[in-house]
Amino acid sequence: MAMRITKSIQFDAAHFIDAPEAAAAGRPYARMHGHSFTLEASVAGEPGETTGWVADFADLEAALGALRDTLDHTLLNEIDGLERPTLENLCRWAAGRLRTQFPGLVQVRVARPSIGEACVFDID
């Protein structure tokens, strides 16, 4: 029976969406602004016979902590790979960093809870 575990982190960061159509339309997200974000990662698989777990939560916590250290209190646009830091690109960026350590990674979710927005990246 496959199971799924999920761990989340929170971070605060600034960004702007440097899209010509956003600026032309006078969208507020074309200006620099900040959000509180939540990032969740889910790993699925069969619990190990000896451990009884899908993955060690301590390992997942450490990996997510490294992401938080990179993202928290930054201008996301200045991070390699996040020059256009949409929720979609944040999901892909985080998944790319977690996949090597967690081959059972099945989902990454990034949300801005205060404004009710989220993106879910289901990994094949």
Side-chain angles (χ1 to χ4, degrees):
M1 138 182 36
M3 295 187 170
R4 178 185 292 207
I5 63 166
T6 302
K7 181 80 179 160
S8 66
I9 58 168
Q10 287 79 41
F11 64 95
D12 299 303
H15 74 145
F16 59 92
I17 304 301
D18 185 22
E21 59 276 8
R27 302 284 188 205
Y29 46 80
R31 296 186 306 269
M32 189 182 321
H33 60 284
H35 296 283
S36 293
F37 293 86
T38 301
L39 189 154
E40 289 182 356
S42 297
V43 179
E46 295 292 330
E49 275 190 42
T50 56
T51 63
W53 60 43
V54 172
D56 188 336
F57 271 110
D59 293 340
L60 190 53
E61 181 175 8
L64 290 173
L67 294 183
R68 181 180 43 240
D69 291 347
T70 300
L71 300 168
D72 194 38
H73 287 84
T74 65
L75 175 58
L76 296 175
N77 301 71
E78 294 177 346
I79 296 172
D80 286 339
L82 289 177
E83 293 79 11
R84 184 157 293 160
T86 62
L87 288 178
E88 295 86 347
N89 287 336
L90 278 163
C91 281
R92 280 191 201 104
W93 181 89
R97 277 142 189 83
L98 295 170
R99 277 186 186 155
T100 56
Q101 190 174 354
F102 301 97
L105 185 72
V106 293
Q107 189 177 79
V108 173
R109 180 179 186 273
V110 179
R112 297 184 289 235
S114 66
I115 58 174
E117 297 175 345
C119 178
V120 176
F121 181 27
D122 290 318
I123 300 160
D124 299 329

